[in-house]
Amino acid sequence: MPAIDYSGQNKLPDIDVEALIFLIIGFFWGGFTAPISIKLAGIYGIIDIPDARKIHKGKMPRGAGLGLWVGYLLMSVIMSESMPELRFIATGATIIFFCGYLDDMCSLSPFLRLGLHFIAASIVVLPLGLPVTHTIIALVWLAGVTSAYNLIDGMNGLCISMFIASSGALYILGKSYAGICMGAMALGVLCWNFPAAQTFLGDGGSTLLGYLFASHFLKNAMPNLTNARFLDILLLLILFGGIPVIDTVIAFSRRILSGKSPFYPDKKHLHHILISLTGSNVVTVSILLILQVLTLAAGLSVYFKLL
């Protein structure tokens, strides 16, 4: 009777220690910097005042994206040797964050914000050296995702949960430790924003999250897809844009068809509709998060088939 080899049984799976370290550091960074941003919001009057189109009732400090921005800058310095492209993303992220942070303090023109979003997008996209058609669609998508994360930021925990799921997809896409660290920082801030919010991301934070995810996705994925068909890339970008992009496309189409500006605010976003049906912030965010995970999973499937 042949001997039975038991050496492989009950063996624990290998643990990515470096990813675990980034996760822990990122989580505590986000959690500890959020209260600092709350104090600064009170000092400088960066307060979200409720109005007819908003769900929350009381005044709320915003600007929680400050810790995320500083954390990303530190991460880009630490990882600069192995990931030199982070310098480009950090530069664009700084433009995006300050544009949004200023908008939190004094409302800026949506066209000025959009122009700055395209400038920040070009800092990331142009150095990739993609074909012309790929470059154009990447610029539009990156600027669009930046705005989409801002537009979906209308409910406690929604924008941050979308970003955390997207950051997880980045790790699966290319074992990105940056994705792990960014998602962990956002998770730390989420503790202050969901289910009961003590602070909001503000425009600076929500646009920053959209920009960071989209930039890292393009850096990781687009150089591998230079020979892919235009329609395949378009499908891929829609799926990875996920619920924020789908919701924005629906909102802009609805407003244009009704003869209004695409930037005209309303209460007809997906989260507005769901909360009117469910009556629960937690249930609404959970449903949209599940849908986001499903679209990202579909995007990953399409991406690996295109390689």
Side-chain angles (χ1 to χ4, degrees):
M1 180 175 178
I4 300 175
D5 183 7
Y6 293 98
S7 60
Q9 295 187 11
N10 301 320
K11 182 180 178 181
L12 294 175
D14 292 334
I15 297 175
D16 192 333
V17 177
E18 193 169 357
L20 184 61
I21 292 172
F22 278 119
L23 191 152
I24 293 172
I25 293 175
F27 175 76
F28 281 102
W29 175 271
F32 282 121
T33 56
I36 297 174
S37 70
I38 293 174
K39 290 184 178 180
L40 290 174
I43 294 173
Y44 293 102
I46 308 174
I47 306 297
D48 195 300
I49 300 175
D51 57 32
R53 70 180 182 86
K54 294 180 180 178
I55 296 174
H56 68 97
K57 303 299 181 183
K59 296 180 179 180
M60 185 68 63
R62 56 184 176 180
L66 178 63
L68 296 173
W69 170 64
V70 175
Y72 187 83
L73 293 186
L74 290 174
M75 185 187 76
S76 67
V77 172
I78 294 171
M79 297 183 177
S80 61
E81 187 172 340
S82 59
M83 299 179 67
E85 67 272 12
L86 293 185
R87 293 174 295 176
F88 294 101
I89 300 177
T91 301
T94 300
I95 294 173
I96 293 295
F97 174 72
F98 276 104
C99 173
Y101 206 60
L102 285 172
D103 194 47
D104 286 330
M105 292 186 281
C106 54
S107 184
L108 301 178
S109 162
F111 297 102
L112 173 60
R113 295 201 309 267
L114 187 60
L116 290 172
H117 289 178
F118 269 103
I119 291 173
S122 67
I123 293 174
V124 172
V125 173
L126 295 182
L128 294 177
L130 302 172
V132 175
T133 54
H134 291 59
T135 297
I136 293 172
I137 192 173
L139 282 170
V140 173
W141 184 78
L142 177 47
V145 172
T146 301
S147 297
Y149 270 72
N150 176 236
L151 292 173
I152 206 170
D153 186 29
M155 180 175 292
N156 296 352
L158 181 54
C159 179
I160 301 178
S161 64
M162 298 291 103
F163 178 75
I164 292 171
S166 298
S167 297
L170 286 176
Y171 181 72
I172 297 173
L173 188 74
K175 202 173 184 181
S176 170
Y177 292 130
I180 289 289
C181 191
M182 292 189 302
M185 286 192 291
L187 184 61
V189 174
L190 183 65
C191 298
W192 296 85
N193 182 251
F194 183 81
Q198 299 180 56
T199 183
F200 289 161
L201 281 173
D203 290 351
S206 58
T207 52
L208 175 70
L209 294 186
Y211 180 82
L212 289 179
F213 162 68
S215 296
H216 278 270
F217 172 78
L218 292 176
K219 283 285 188 181
N220 283 311
M222 288 301 284
N224 301 323
L225 302 173
T226 54
N227 295 322
R229 296 182 305 171
F230 177 82
L231 290 179
D232 289 332
I233 292 178
L234 184 61
L235 173 62
L236 189 70
L237 294 179
I238 290 173
L239 291 173
F240 272 97
I243 297 303
V245 166
I246 294 170
D247 179 60
T248 298
V249 170
I250 293 173
F252 277 22
S253 300
R254 180 183 66 247
R255 294 165 186 172
I256 292 171
L257 290 174
S258 62
K260 298 177 180 177
S261 166
F263 302 106
Y264 181 82
D266 58 34
K267 293 187 71 172
K268 297 180 181 179
H269 287 278
L270 293 176
H271 56 275
H272 290 129
I273 296 171
L274 281 174
I275 199 168
S276 67
L277 294 173
T278 65
S280 170
N281 184 315
V282 174
V283 172
T284 297
V285 172
S286 298
I287 291 172
L288 291 175
L289 179 57
I290 291 171
L291 293 175
Q292 176 76 349
V293 170
L294 291 175
T295 59
L296 290 168
L300 287 168
S301 177
V302 171
Y303 173 74
F304 288 123
K305 286 180 180 178
L306 291 176
L307 292 180

